[in-house]
Coordinates of all heavy atoms in Angstrom, one line a residue:
M28 N -12.2 -28.5 -103.9 CA -12.3 -27.7 -102.7 C -13.2 -28.4 -101.6 O -14.1 -29.2 -102.0 CB -13.0 -26.4 -103.0 CG -12.2 -25.5 -103.9 SD -10.6 -24.9 -103.2 CE -11.2 -23.3 -102.5
A29 N -12.9 -28.2 -100.4 CA -13.6 -28.7 -99.3 C -13.9 -27.6 -98.3 O -13.3 -26.5 -98.4 CB -12.8 -29.8 -98.6
R30 N -15.0 -27.8 -97.5 CA -15.3 -26.8 -96.6 C -14.8 -27.3 -95.1 O -15.2 -28.4 -94.7 CB -16.8 -26.5 -96.5 CG -17.2 -25.3 -95.7 CD -18.7 -25.0 -95.7 NE -19.1 -24.4 -97.0 CZ -18.9 -23.2 -97.4 NH1 -18.4 -22.3 -96.6 NH2 -19.4 -22.8 -98.6
C31 N -14.1 -26.4 -94.4 CA -13.6 -26.7 -93.1 C -14.8 -26.8 -92.1 O -15.7 -26.0 -92.0 CB -12.6 -25.6 -92.7 SG -12.0 -25.9 -91.0
T32 N -14.9 -28.0 -91.4 CA -15.9 -28.1 -90.4 C -15.7 -27.3 -89.2 O -16.7 -27.1 -88.4 CB -15.9 -29.6 -89.9 OG1 -14.7 -29.9 -89.4 CG2 -16.2 -30.6 -91.1
E33 N -14.6 -26.7 -89.1 CA -14.2 -25.8 -87.9 C -14.6 -24.4 -88.1 O -15.4 -23.8 -87.4 CB -12.8 -26.0 -87.5 CG -12.3 -25.2 -86.3 CD -12.4 -26.0 -85.0 OE1 -12.5 -27.2 -85.1 OE2 -12.3 -25.4 -84.0
C34 N -14.0 -23.8 -89.1 CA -14.2 -22.4 -89.4 C -15.1 -22.1 -90.6 O -15.4 -20.9 -90.8 CB -12.8 -21.7 -89.5 SG -11.9 -22.2 -91.0
G35 N -15.4 -23.1 -91.4 CA -16.4 -22.9 -92.5 C -15.7 -22.4 -93.7 O -16.4 -22.1 -94.8
T36 N -14.4 -22.2 -93.7 CA -13.7 -21.7 -94.9 C -13.5 -22.7 -96.0 O -13.4 -24.0 -95.7 CB -12.2 -21.3 -94.5 OG1 -12.3 -20.4 -93.5 CG2 -11.5 -20.7 -95.7
L37 N -13.7 -22.4 -97.3 CA -13.4 -23.3 -98.3 C -11.9 -23.4 -98.5 O -11.2 -22.4 -98.5 CB -14.0 -22.7 -99.7 CG -15.6 -23.0 -99.8 CD1 -16.0 -22.2 -101.1 CD2 -15.9 -24.5 -99.9
F38 N -11.4 -24.6 -98.6 CA -9.9 -24.7 -98.7 C -9.6 -25.8 -99.7 O -10.3 -26.7 -100.0 CB -9.3 -25.1 -97.4 CG -9.7 -26.4 -96.8 CD1 -8.9 -27.5 -96.9 CD2 -10.9 -26.6 -96.2 CE1 -9.2 -28.7 -96.4 CE2 -11.3 -27.8 -95.6 CZ -10.4 -28.9 -95.8
D39 N -8.3 -25.8 -100.2 CA -7.8 -26.7 -101.1 C -7.1 -27.8 -100.3 O -6.2 -27.5 -99.5 CB -6.9 -26.0 -102.1 CG -6.4 -27.0 -103.2 OD1 -5.6 -27.9 -102.8 OD2 -6.8 -26.9 -104.3
I40 N -7.5 -29.0 -100.4 CA -6.9 -30.1 -99.6 C -5.4 -30.3 -99.8 O -4.7 -30.5 -98.8 CB -7.6 -31.5 -99.9 CG1 -9.1 -31.4 -99.4 CG2 -6.9 -32.6 -99.2 CD1 -9.9 -32.6 -99.7
D41 N -4.9 -30.1 -101.0 CA -3.5 -30.2 -101.2 C -2.7 -29.1 -100.5 O -1.7 -29.3 -99.9 CB -3.1 -30.1 -102.7 CG -3.6 -31.3 -103.5 OD1 -3.7 -32.4 -102.9 OD2 -3.9 -31.3 -104.7
D42 N -3.3 -27.9 -100.5 CA -2.6 -26.7 -99.8 C -2.6 -27.0 -98.3 O -1.6 -26.8 -97.6 CB -3.4 -25.4 -100.0 CG -3.2 -24.9 -101.5 OD1 -2.3 -25.5 -102.1 OD2 -3.9 -24.0 -101.8
A43 N -3.8 -27.5 -97.8 CA -3.9 -27.7 -96.3 C -2.9 -28.8 -95.9 O -2.2 -28.7 -94.9 CB -5.3 -28.2 -96.0
R44 N -2.8 -29.8 -96.7 CA -1.8 -30.9 -96.5 C -0.3 -30.4 -96.4 O 0.4 -30.7 -95.5 CB -1.9 -32.0 -97.5 CG -0.9 -33.2 -97.3 CD -1.0 -34.2 -98.4 NE -2.3 -34.9 -98.5 CZ -3.0 -34.8 -99.6 NH1 -2.7 -34.0 -100.6 NH2 -4.2 -35.4 -99.6
D45 N -0.1 -29.5 -97.4 CA 1.3 -29.0 -97.5 C 1.6 -28.1 -96.2 O 2.7 -28.2 -95.7 CB 1.5 -28.1 -98.7 CG 1.6 -28.9 -100.0 OD1 1.7 -30.1 -99.9 OD2 1.5 -28.3 -101.1
D46 N 0.7 -27.3 -95.9 CA 0.8 -26.4 -94.7 C 1.0 -27.3 -93.5 O 1.9 -27.0 -92.7 CB -0.4 -25.5 -94.5 CG -0.5 -24.4 -95.6 OD1 0.4 -24.2 -96.3 OD2 -1.6 -23.7 -95.5
Y47 N 0.2 -28.2 -93.3 CA 0.2 -29.1 -92.1 C 1.5 -29.8 -92.0 O 2.2 -29.8 -91.0 CB -1.0 -30.0 -92.2 CG -1.2 -30.8 -90.9 CD1 -1.9 -30.4 -89.8 CD2 -0.6 -32.1 -90.8 CE1 -2.1 -31.1 -88.7 CE2 -0.8 -32.8 -89.7 CZ -1.5 -32.4 -88.6 OH -1.7 -33.1 -87.5
N48 N 1.9 -30.5 -93.1 CA 3.1 -31.3 -93.0 C 4.3 -30.4 -92.9 O 5.3 -30.8 -92.2 CB 3.2 -32.1 -94.3 CG 2.1 -33.2 -94.4 OD1 1.5 -33.5 -93.3 ND2 1.9 -33.9 -95.5
A49 N 4.3 -29.2 -93.4 CA 5.4 -28.3 -93.2 C 5.5 -27.9 -91.7 O 6.6 -27.8 -91.2 CB 5.2 -27.0 -94.1
E50 N 4.4 -27.6 -91.1 CA 4.4 -27.2 -89.7 C 5.0 -28.2 -88.8 O 5.7 -28.0 -87.9 CB 2.9 -26.8 -89.3 CG 2.7 -26.4 -87.8 CD 3.2 -25.0 -87.6 OE1 3.4 -24.2 -88.6 OE2 3.4 -24.7 -86.4
F51 N 4.6 -29.5 -89.1 CA 5.1 -30.6 -88.2 C 6.2 -31.4 -88.8 O 6.5 -32.5 -88.3 CB 3.8 -31.5 -87.9 CG 2.8 -30.7 -87.0 CD1 1.6 -30.4 -87.6 CD2 3.1 -30.2 -85.8 CE1 0.6 -29.7 -86.9 CE2 2.1 -29.6 -85.1 CZ 0.9 -29.3 -85.6
N52 N 6.8 -30.9 -89.8 CA 8.0 -31.5 -90.5 C 7.7 -33.0 -90.9 O 8.6 -33.8 -90.7 CB 9.2 -31.5 -89.5 CG 9.6 -30.1 -89.2 OD1 9.7 -29.3 -90.2 ND2 9.8 -29.8 -88.0
G53 N 6.4 -33.2 -91.2 CA 6.1 -34.6 -91.6 C 5.9 -35.6 -90.5 O 5.7 -36.7 -90.7
E54 N 6.0 -35.1 -89.2 CA 6.0 -36.0 -88.1 C 4.5 -36.5 -87.8 O 4.2 -37.5 -87.3 CB 6.5 -35.4 -86.8 CG 8.0 -35.4 -86.7 CD 8.4 -34.6 -85.5 OE1 7.8 -34.7 -84.4 OE2 9.5 -33.9 -85.7
L55 N 3.6 -35.6 -88.2 CA 2.2 -36.0 -88.1 C 1.6 -36.0 -89.5 O 2.2 -35.4 -90.4 CB 1.4 -34.9 -87.3 CG 1.9 -34.7 -85.9 CD1 1.1 -33.6 -85.2 CD2 1.6 -36.0 -85.1
D56 N 0.6 -36.7 -89.7 CA 0.0 -36.9 -91.1 C -1.3 -36.3 -91.2 O -2.3 -36.8 -90.7 CB 0.0 -38.4 -91.4 CG -0.4 -38.8 -92.8 OD1 -0.6 -37.8 -93.6 OD2 -0.5 -40.0 -93.1
Y57 N -1.4 -35.3 -92.1 CA -2.7 -34.6 -92.3 C -3.8 -35.7 -92.8 O -4.9 -35.6 -92.3 CB -2.5 -33.5 -93.4 CG -3.7 -32.8 -93.7 CD1 -4.3 -31.8 -92.9 CD2 -4.4 -33.1 -94.9 CE1 -5.5 -31.1 -93.3 CE2 -5.6 -32.5 -95.3 CZ -6.1 -31.5 -94.5 OH -7.3 -30.9 -94.9
D58 N -3.4 -36.5 -93.7 CA -4.3 -37.4 -94.3 C -4.9 -38.4 -93.3 O -6.0 -38.9 -93.4 CB -3.6 -38.2 -95.4 CG -3.4 -37.3 -96.6 OD1 -4.3 -36.6 -97.0 OD2 -2.3 -37.4 -97.1
E59 N -4.1 -38.6 -92.2 CA -4.7 -39.6 -91.2 C -5.9 -39.0 -90.4 O -6.8 -39.7 -90.1 CB -3.5 -39.9 -90.2 CG -3.5 -41.4 -89.9 CD -2.1 -41.8 -89.4 OE1 -1.9 -41.6 -88.2 OE2 -1.4 -42.4 -90.2
D60 N -5.7 -37.7 -90.1 CA -6.7 -37.2 -89.1 C -7.6 -36.1 -89.7 O -8.8 -36.0 -89.2 CB -5.9 -36.5 -88.0 CG -5.2 -37.5 -87.2 OD1 -5.7 -38.5 -86.9 OD2 -4.1 -37.2 -86.7
F61 N -7.3 -35.4 -90.8 CA -8.0 -34.3 -91.1 C -8.4 -34.2 -92.6 O -9.1 -33.2 -93.0 CB -7.2 -33.0 -90.8 CG -6.9 -32.9 -89.4 CD1 -5.6 -33.0 -89.0 CD2 -7.9 -32.6 -88.4 CE1 -5.2 -32.9 -87.6 CE2 -7.6 -32.5 -87.1 CZ -6.2 -32.6 -86.7
V62 N -8.0 -35.1 -93.3 CA -8.2 -34.9 -94.8 C -9.7 -34.6 -95.2 O -10.6 -35.3 -94.9 CB -7.7 -36.1 -95.7 CG1 -8.5 -37.4 -95.4 CG2 -7.6 -35.8 -97.1
G63 N -9.8 -33.5 -95.8 CA -11.1 -33.0 -96.3 C -12.1 -32.5 -95.2 O -13.2 -32.1 -95.5
T64 N -11.6 -32.5 -93.9 CA -12.5 -32.0 -92.9 C -12.1 -30.7 -92.3 O -12.9 -29.8 -91.9 CB -12.7 -33.0 -91.7 OG1 -11.4 -33.2 -91.2 CG2 -13.2 -34.3 -92.3
K65 N -10.8 -30.4 -92.2 CA -10.3 -29.2 -91.6 C -9.2 -28.5 -92.5 O -8.4 -29.2 -93.0 CB -9.7 -29.4 -90.2 CG -10.8 -29.8 -89.2 CD -10.3 -29.7 -87.8 CE -11.5 -30.1 -86.9 NZ -11.2 -29.8 -85.5
C66 N -9.3 -27.2 -92.6 CA -8.4 -26.5 -93.3 C -7.0 -26.5 -92.6 O -6.9 -27.0 -91.5 CB -8.8 -25.0 -93.5 SG -8.8 -24.0 -92.0
G67 N -6.0 -26.1 -93.3 CA -4.6 -26.2 -92.7 C -4.5 -25.5 -91.4 O -3.9 -26.1 -90.4
N68 N -5.0 -24.3 -91.3 CA -4.9 -23.5 -90.0 C -5.6 -24.3 -88.8 O -5.0 -24.4 -87.7 CB -5.5 -22.2 -90.1 CG -4.6 -21.2 -90.9 OD1 -3.4 -21.4 -91.0 ND2 -5.2 -20.2 -91.4
C69 N -6.8 -24.8 -89.0 CA -7.6 -25.4 -88.0 C -6.9 -26.7 -87.6 O -6.8 -27.1 -86.5 CB -9.0 -25.6 -88.4 SG -9.9 -24.1 -88.5
A70 N -6.4 -27.5 -88.6 CA -5.8 -28.8 -88.4 C -4.5 -28.5 -87.5 O -4.2 -29.2 -86.6 CB -5.5 -29.5 -89.7
I71 N -3.7 -27.5 -88.0 CA -2.5 -27.2 -87.3 C -2.8 -26.8 -85.8 O -2.2 -27.3 -84.9 CB -1.7 -26.1 -87.9 CG1 -1.1 -26.6 -89.2 CG2 -0.6 -25.4 -87.0 CD1 -0.6 -25.6 -90.1
S72 N -3.8 -25.9 -85.6 CA -4.0 -25.5 -84.3 C -4.6 -26.6 -83.4 O -4.2 -26.7 -82.2 CB -4.9 -24.1 -84.2 OG -6.2 -24.5 -84.4
Q73 N -5.4 -27.5 -83.9 CA -5.9 -28.6 -83.1 C -4.7 -29.5 -82.7 O -4.6 -29.9 -81.6 CB -7.0 -29.4 -83.9 CG -7.4 -30.6 -83.0 CD -8.5 -31.4 -83.6 OE1 -9.4 -30.9 -84.3 NE2 -8.5 -32.7 -83.3
S74 N -3.9 -29.8 -83.7 CA -2.7 -30.7 -83.3 C -1.8 -30.1 -82.4 O -1.3 -30.7 -81.5 CB -2.0 -31.2 -84.6 OG -2.8 -32.1 -85.3
A75 N -1.5 -28.8 -82.6 CA -0.6 -28.1 -81.7 C -1.1 -28.1 -80.3 O -0.4 -28.3 -79.3 CB -0.3 -26.7 -82.2
S76 N -2.4 -27.9 -80.1 CA -2.9 -27.9 -78.7 C -3.0 -29.3 -78.2 O -2.7 -29.5 -77.0 CB -4.3 -27.2 -78.7 OG -5.3 -28.1 -78.9
E77 N -3.2 -30.3 -79.0 CA -3.1 -31.7 -78.5 C -1.7 -32.1 -78.0 O -1.5 -32.7 -77.0 CB -3.6 -32.7 -79.5 CG -5.1 -32.7 -79.7 CD -5.6 -33.5 -80.9 OE1 -4.8 -34.1 -81.6 OE2 -6.8 -33.5 -81.1
I78 N -0.7 -31.6 -78.8 CA 0.7 -31.9 -78.4 C 1.0 -31.1 -77.0 O 1.6 -31.7 -76.2 CB 1.6 -31.3 -79.5 CG1 1.5 -32.2 -80.7 CG2 3.1 -31.2 -79.0 CD1 2.2 -31.7 -82.0
N79 N 0.4 -29.9 -76.9 CA 0.7 -29.1 -75.7 C 0.0 -29.8 -74.5 O 0.6 -29.8 -73.4 CB 0.3 -27.7 -75.9 CG 1.3 -26.9 -76.7 OD1 2.5 -27.1 -76.6 ND2 0.7 -26.0 -77.5
V80 N -1.2 -30.2 -74.7 CA -1.9 -30.9 -73.6 C -1.1 -32.2 -73.2 O -0.9 -32.5 -72.1 CB -3.3 -31.2 -74.0 CG1 -4.0 -32.1 -73.0 CG2 -4.1 -29.9 -74.1
G81 N -0.7 -32.9 -74.2 CA 0.0 -34.2 -74.0 C 1.3 -33.9 -73.2 O 1.6 -34.6 -72.2
A82 N 2.0 -32.8 -73.5 CA 3.2 -32.5 -72.8 C 2.9 -32.1 -71.4 O 3.6 -32.5 -70.4 CB 3.9 -31.3 -73.5
A83 N 1.8 -31.4 -71.2 CA 1.4 -31.0 -69.8 C 1.1 -32.2 -69.0 O 1.5 -32.2 -67.8 CB 0.2 -30.1 -69.8
I84 N 0.5 -33.2 -69.5 CA 0.2 -34.5 -68.8 C 1.5 -35.2 -68.5 O 1.6 -35.7 -67.4 CB -0.8 -35.3 -69.7 CG1 -2.2 -34.7 -69.7 CG2 -0.8 -36.8 -69.1 CD1 -3.1 -35.3 -70.7
D85 N 2.5 -35.2 -69.4 CA 3.7 -35.9 -69.2 C 4.4 -35.2 -68.0 O 5.1 -35.7 -67.2 CB 4.6 -35.8 -70.5 CG 4.1 -36.8 -71.5 OD1 3.3 -37.7 -71.2 OD2 4.6 -36.7 -72.6
M86 N 4.3 -33.8 -68.0 CA 4.9 -33.0 -66.8 C 4.3 -33.4 -65.5 O 5.0 -33.6 -64.5 CB 4.7 -31.5 -67.1 CG 5.6 -31.0 -68.2 SD 5.2 -29.3 -68.5 CE 6.1 -29.0 -70.0
M87 N 3.0 -33.6 -65.5 CA 2.3 -33.9 -64.3 C 2.7 -35.4 -63.9 O 2.8 -35.7 -62.7 CB 0.7 -34.1 -64.5 CG 0.1 -32.7 -64.8 SD 0.3 -31.5 -63.6 CE -0.8 -32.1 -62.3
N88 N 3.0 -36.2 -64.8 CA 3.4 -37.6 -64.5 C 4.9 -37.7 -64.2 O 5.4 -38.7 -64.0 CB 3.0 -38.5 -65.6 CG 1.6 -38.7 -65.7 OD1 0.8 -38.6 -64.7 ND2 1.1 -39.0 -66.9
G89 N 5.7 -36.5 -64.3 CA 7.1 -36.5 -64.1 C 7.9 -37.2 -65.3 O 9.1 -37.5 -65.0
E90 N 7.3 -37.3 -66.3 CA 8.0 -37.9 -67.5 C 9.0 -36.9 -68.2 O 9.9 -37.3 -68.8 CB 7.0 -38.6 -68.5 CG 6.5 -39.8 -67.9 CD 5.3 -40.4 -68.7 OE1 5.2 -40.1 -69.9 OE2 4.5 -41.1 -68.1
I91 N 8.5 -35.7 -68.2 CA 9.5 -34.7 -68.8 C 9.5 -33.5 -67.7 O 8.8 -33.4 -66.8 CB 9.0 -34.2 -70.1 CG1 7.5 -33.6 -70.1 CG2 9.0 -35.2 -71.2 CD1 7.1 -32.9 -71.3
E92 N 10.5 -32.7 -68.0 CA 10.8 -31.5 -67.0 C 9.5 -30.7 -66.8 O 8.8 -30.3 -67.7 CB 11.9 -30.7 -67.6 CG 12.4 -29.7 -66.5 CD 13.6 -28.8 -67.0 OE1 14.1 -29.3 -68.0 OE2 13.9 -27.9 -66.4
Y93 N 9.2 -30.4 -65.5 CA 8.0 -29.7 -65.2 C 8.1 -28.2 -65.4 O 9.1 -27.6 -65.1 CB 7.7 -29.9 -63.7 CG 6.3 -29.5 -63.3 CD1 5.2 -30.3 -63.5 CD2 6.1 -28.3 -62.6 CE1 4.0 -29.9 -63.1 CE2 4.8 -27.9 -62.2 CZ 3.8 -28.7 -62.5 OH 2.5 -28.3 -62.1
D94 N 7.0 -27.7 -66.1 CA 7.0 -26.3 -66.4 C 5.6 -25.8 -65.9 O 4.6 -26.0 -66.6 CB 7.2 -26.0 -67.9 CG 7.1 -24.6 -68.3 OD1 6.6 -23.8 -67.5 OD2 7.5 -24.3 -69.5
A95 N 5.6 -25.1 -64.8 CA 4.3 -24.7 -64.2 C 3.5 -23.8 -65.1 O 2.3 -23.9 -65.2 CB 4.5 -24.0 -62.9
D96 N 4.1 -23.0 -65.9 CA 3.4 -22.1 -66.7 C 2.7 -22.9 -67.8 O 1.6 -22.6 -68.3 CB 4.4 -21.1 -67.4 CG 4.9 -20.0 -66.4 OD1 4.2 -19.9 -65.4 OD2 5.8 -19.4 -66.7
H97 N 3.4 -23.9 -68.4 CA 2.9 -24.7 -69.4 C 1.7 -25.5 -68.9 O 0.6 -25.6 -69.6 CB 4.0 -25.6 -70.0 CG 3.5 -26.5 -71.1 ND1 3.8 -26.1 -72.4 CD2 2.7 -27.6 -71.2 CE1 3.2 -27.0 -73.3 NE2 2.6 -27.9 -72.5
V98 N 1.8 -26.1 -67.7 CA 0.7 -26.9 -67.2 C -0.5 -26.0 -66.9 O -1.6 -26.4 -67.2 CB 1.2 -27.5 -65.8 CG1 0.0 -28.2 -65.1 CG2 2.2 -28.7 -66.2
E99 N -0.3 -24.8 -66.4 CA -1.3 -23.9 -66.1 C -2.1 -23.5 -67.3 O -3.3 -23.4 -67.4 CB -0.7 -22.6 -65.5 CG -1.7 -21.5 -65.3 CD -2.0 -21.3 -63.8 OE1 -1.6 -22.1 -63.0 OE2 -2.6 -20.3 -63.5
K100 N -1.3 -23.4 -68.4 CA -1.9 -22.9 -69.7 C -2.8 -24.0 -70.4 O -3.8 -23.7 -71.0 CB -0.8 -22.4 -70.6 CG -1.3 -21.6 -71.8 CD -0.1 -20.9 -72.5 CE -0.6 -20.3 -73.8 NZ 0.6 -19.9 -74.6
Y101 N -2.3 -25.2 -70.3 CA -2.8 -26.3 -71.2 C -3.7 -27.3 -70.4 O -4.3 -28.1 -71.1 CB -1.7 -26.9 -72.0 CG -1.1 -26.0 -73.0 CD1 0.1 -25.5 -72.8 CD2 -1.8 -25.5 -74.1 CE1 0.7 -24.6 -73.7 CE2 -1.3 -24.6 -75.0 CZ 0.0 -24.1 -74.8 OH 0.5 -23.3 -75.6
L102 N -3.6 -27.3 -69.1 CA -4.5 -28.2 -68.4 C -5.6 -27.5 -67.7 O -5.5 -26.4 -67.2 CB -3.7 -29.1 -67.4 CG -2.9 -30.3 -68.0 CD1 -2.3 -31.1 -66.9 CD2 -3.8 -31.1 -68.9
Ligands
ZN12 ZN1 -10.7 -24.0 -90.7

């Protein structure tokens, strides 16, 4: 068991990895960024928000279709 540095919950690393990899269909790698430091929920929410911020920046740069609500929410 490991303790999440974000929410303090004790969690099983194998479970967290399974949850994380299922959420992102294996496109992101739990072991690369979070192994043993964040539970599945916290790792998922951090990565999801990074993805959303990244998308908002791409919108500002005109790289993907602009969505004012998205930019407002994440930047
Ligand atoms: Zn956590």
Side-chain angles (χ1 to χ4, degrees):
M28 297 292 268
R30 187 177 292 279
C31 177
T32 57
E33 180 93 16
C34 66
T36 305
L37 281 172
F38 67 99
D39 185 287
I40 292 172
D41 289 335
D42 289 347
R44 180 187 296 116
D45 286 350
D46 288 351
Y47 186 87
N48 291 348
E50 179 73 19
F51 297 109
N52 298 315
E54 282 174 37
L55 299 175
D56 185 4
Y57 176 81
D58 290 314
E59 220 160 81
D60 293 322
F61 299 111
V62 67
T64 62
K65 291 199 180 185
C66 70
N68 282 340
C69 292
I71 288 167
S72 77
Q73 180 178 324
S74 288
S76 88
E77 285 171 2
I78 288 167
N79 284 324
V80 168
I84 290 169
D85 287 346
M86 287 173 190
M87 297 296 289
N88 291 334
E90 285 168 24
I91 56 175
E92 193 178 343
Y93 192 79
D94 176 345
D96 289 340
H97 185 98
V98 169
E99 175 110 347
K100 190 166 172 194
Y101 295 107
L102 279 188

